[in-house]
Amino acid sequence: EDEQIVAEIMRRRFFPALITHKAWEGFHFAGHEIRITEATDCYGAVVWPSALVLCYFLETNSKQYNLVDKNVIEIGAGTGLVSIVASLLGALVTATDLPELLGNLQHNVLQNTKLKCKNQPHVKELSWGIDLEKNFPRSSCHFDYIMAADVVYHHPFLDELLLTFDHLCKNDTVILWAMRFRLDKENQFVGRFQTLFDLEVISNFPSLNITLYKAMRKGRMKA
């Protein structure tokens, strides 16, 4: 079953028939052809399999997780694929990442959502753990969903990442998080995450070493 679903997910990806001056990949999600411009010299500007897993889940579970007019924030949006798919499914999306990635992120989001979405998504800078209250004040920022794909890897900002989840998450916020397991130090983040949030495995893909989680604040997990 794992291999069949993974094969279906990977069939959503296509590549240019001819070599072009810009590196890009194409994807079929939410009834649209999505073209993502990439930069292979930067981790944040490449589409990783965890993003495809999350996009596939959003599309195939759109009734249970109805995103229409829901406030969604994606942290570590990278190329913007997850934010684009969520927007095409009707969400009001804020796609965030580091300042040096915003140009490519904005390009992809605009190219793939303009005149196609009920709610035009926004792109905003978010450096994990920095100026959170200033840029995303708790009193006025409420997100129905926090989405994250492959935000845990070999980087020194895991403390800041946990702080960011904590700041953005209200009692009724649902976190959808796709994680690829790599090194023990990174994998230990899951245990730390569980000190603040109840965690439920939605899907597991051993062949990709990826797990898709749903999380809510401790004690608030819905049946």
Side-chain angles (χ1 to χ4, degrees), residues 14-119:
F14 66 93
F15 300 94
L18 299 173
I19 296 176
T20 62
H21 67 285
K22 283 189 177 181
W24 65 270
E25 288 185 72
F27 304 89
H28 292 288
F29 285 110
H32 290 269
E33 180 181 290
I34 301 167
R35 293 194 177 194
I36 297 293
T37 300
E38 299 182 316
T40 55
D41 59 343
C42 179
Y43 282 138
V46 176
V47 177
W48 299 100
S50 292
L52 273 67
V53 166
L54 184 48
C55 289
Y56 181 81
F57 175 82
L58 295 175
E59 180 189 82
T60 55
N61 293 272
S62 60
K63 290 185 178 180
Q64 183 179 358
Y65 293 86
N66 185 352
L67 298 183
V68 177
D69 294 331
K70 296 294 193 301
N71 283 316
V72 172
I73 185 169
E74 185 186 5
I75 61 174
T79 61
L81 180 61
V82 172
S83 289
I84 291 164
V85 171
S87 298
L88 293 171
L89 291 171
L92 213 170
V93 176
T94 302
T96 70
D97 215 312
L98 296 169
E100 59 266 29
L101 296 173
L102 295 187
N104 189 58
L105 175 58
Q106 179 71 66
H107 168 78
N108 285 328
V109 167
L110 187 62
Q111 176 178 266
N112 290 286
T113 62
K114 189 176 181 180
L115 303 180
K116 298 177 183 178
C117 297
K118 181 180 181 182
N119 301 300

Side-chain angles (χ1 to χ4, degrees), residues 167-192:
H167 179 84
L168 296 173
C169 188
K170 296 290 201 302
N171 281 343
D172 59 348
T173 302
V174 174
I175 298 171
L176 295 175
W177 168 31
M179 175 177 174
R180 181 182 176 191
F181 286 81
R182 295 180 177 90
L183 304 175
D184 286 342
K185 180 181 178 182
E186 298 160 13
N187 299 345
Q188 290 170 8
F189 180 85
V190 175
R192 297 176 56 204

Side-chain angles (χ1 to χ4, degrees), residues 120-140:
Q120 187 61 37
H122 301 282
V123 172
K124 188 172 181 178
E125 177 185 342
L126 172 54
S127 299
W128 298 337
I130 298 176
D131 292 332
L132 293 175
E133 182 58 29
K134 176 184 176 183
N135 296 324
F136 299 90
R138 289 179 185 269
S139 60
S140 58

